[in-house]
Amino acid sequence: MPIKSIIVDDEKDARDSLTKMLENFFHEEIEVKAALKSVKEAVKAINEYKPELVFLDIEMPNQNGFSLFDYFPEEYGFEVIFVTAYNQYALKAIQTAALDYILKPINPEELER
C-alpha cells in the first residue's frame, strides 16, 4: 500500500513538478493526496487525509513551513521532508526531526534516496 502524502509549497510550478516526479518515479511507493499552497490549507488536508509524509516548503507568504507544527501536538503522526531553495534552515529542520531536507531544484536521484 503506498504512503499517503501531501505537498505544501506556495509555488505552483514547484508543487506540479514534485507531484509529477512522485507520480512518474514513485507511484507504487507514494500517493499524493493533495498539493497545497499554504500552511492553512495543509492543516485542513492533514486532518482530512491523515498523510504519513508531508513534503514541506519553508519560505512561504503569511506562515513559513515551520509554523505547521504549531497546529499539531508534539506527536503529529507524519514524517516531514523539507523541500526548499534555502540551505540555511537545515539545522532547524533537523531539530524539528525532519526525515530529510531536499534543496530545490529537486534531483530525482536525491528524491529517491
Side-chain angles (χ1 to χ4, degrees):
M1 190 164 204
I3 296 168
K4 292 186 295 185
S5 72
I6 64 168
I7 297 168
V8 186
D9 195 313
D10 62 309
E11 299 174 28
K12 182 176 179 356
D13 289 345
R15 289 190 310 269
D16 292 348
S17 175
L18 181 53
T19 299
K20 286 178 186 170
M21 213 177 291
L22 291 170
E23 289 173 350
N24 289 338
F25 298 109
F26 307 103
H27 65 276
E28 292 183 14
E29 295 92 357
I30 299 174
E31 177 185 10
V32 177
K33 294 300 238 176
L36 312 141
K37 64 182 177 185
S38 70
V39 168
K40 184 178 178 179
E41 290 180 358
V43 170
K44 290 178 185 176
I46 289 168
N47 287 322
E48 180 179 347
Y49 298 114
K50 309 286 190 245
E52 299 154 279
L53 180 60
V54 175
F55 292 92
L56 182 60
D57 187 19
I58 295 174
E59 285 290 326
M60 295 185 284
N62 301 321
Q63 294 180 298
N64 74 24
F66 291 113
S67 67
L68 176 69
F69 303 101
D70 296 339
Y71 293 90
F72 297 95
E74 195 169 309
E75 295 295 320
Y76 39 85
F78 51 86
E79 298 286 345
V80 175
I81 296 177
F82 286 99
V83 181
T84 183
Y86 304 95
N87 62 8
Q88 70 262 31
Y89 297 112
L91 180 59
K92 186 171 182 179
I94 290 167
Q95 293 169 337
T96 310
L99 180 62
D100 206 345
Y101 191 91
I102 299 174
L103 288 175
K104 295 177 187 175
I106 300 171
N107 177 321
E109 289 82 28
E110 187 177 357
L111 185 59
E112 182 174 20
R113 178 182 54 79

